[in-house]
Amino acid sequence: MAKRKSSIGKPLSFVAAVLGLAAVVMLFLPAIGIKDTDTTYTGLQITFGYKESLLGFEYTVFDFSFMNLLTYILAVVGIVFSVLSAMGKGSKFAAFIAAAAFAISGVFFFLSVSYTLPNEDASKIISFVGGDIKDALTLAYGAIIGGVASLLAAVCNLGKIVLK
């Protein structure tokens, strides 16, 4: 008897790529917020830096964060390798790389607060008083959805490897 080939591999790769795209789109939604307020900052602001103006003075709220950028780069790498896997290029290796990239990206989404670089001067002032500025920050729904989507994409790619 001939071995029957599973036809679930391509749909799983497609679902993983769509979930990865959803994770990348979270760049434009609130990633962190300030506890007990309605103030939120998008993934774009905490990744590439953000400046605000108050009474004519411009000040830096967040500096560029490479680790937050790496989160989104890994999600894009996962998308690329998921598409390659769906097209039949690279077979299990491409799906494995995609799964690893999505899994790491998913964990990094949940570490967005840790990877955020608040203004150095404000951090010094707060630490002089005895606090930590990052204690006032919390994850917002963009980072949570991005993390869950990335981890689900990793599971889809692992499913493709196992079910093949």
Side-chain angles (χ1 to χ4, degrees):
M1 268 179 114
K3 201 174 194 184
R4 199 170 188 198
K5 195 172 185 182
S6 175
S7 64
I8 198 161
K10 275 190 180 183
L12 280 178
S13 292
F14 177 72
V15 169
V18 170
L19 286 169
L21 188 61
V24 171
V25 169
M26 295 304 127
L27 182 68
F28 303 104
L29 294 178
I32 63 170
I34 298 177
K35 290 181 185 175
D36 302 327
T37 67
D38 291 335
T39 306
T40 59
Y41 298 98
T42 65
L44 201 62
Q45 292 170 331
I46 65 169
T47 300
F48 296 106
Y50 178 62
K51 292 183 180 185
E52 282 187 356
S53 179
L54 180 67
L55 300 173
F57 296 103
E58 190 173 271
Y59 63 96
T60 301
V61 179
F62 297 112
D63 293 322
F64 171 75
S65 171
F66 176 75
M67 291 304 289
N68 279 329
L69 178 62
L70 185 61
T71 303
Y72 296 103
I73 290 172
L74 286 170
V76 169
V77 167
I79 293 169
V80 168
F81 278 97
S82 289
V83 170
L84 286 174
S85 176
M87 292 177 9
K89 311 283 188 212
S91 68
K92 286 186 180 183
F93 184 70
F96 180 74
I97 296 296
F102 279 133
I104 295 168
S105 176
V107 171
F108 282 5
F109 268 109
F110 292 113
L111 296 173
S112 292
V113 172
S114 299
Y115 293 152
T116 300
L117 298 174
N119 181 354
E120 193 174 314
D121 295 332
S123 295
K124 286 179 184 176
I125 293 170
I126 298 295
S127 66
F128 179 73
V129 177
D132 186 14
I133 200 164
K134 288 187 180 181
D135 289 340
L137 301 176
T138 184
L139 277 180
Y141 62 88
I144 295 169
I145 293 170
V148 170
S150 289
L151 292 174
L152 286 175
V155 168
C156 286
N157 279 306
L158 288 176
K160 181 180 192 262
I161 294 168
V162 171
L163 297 175
K164 192 166 187 179

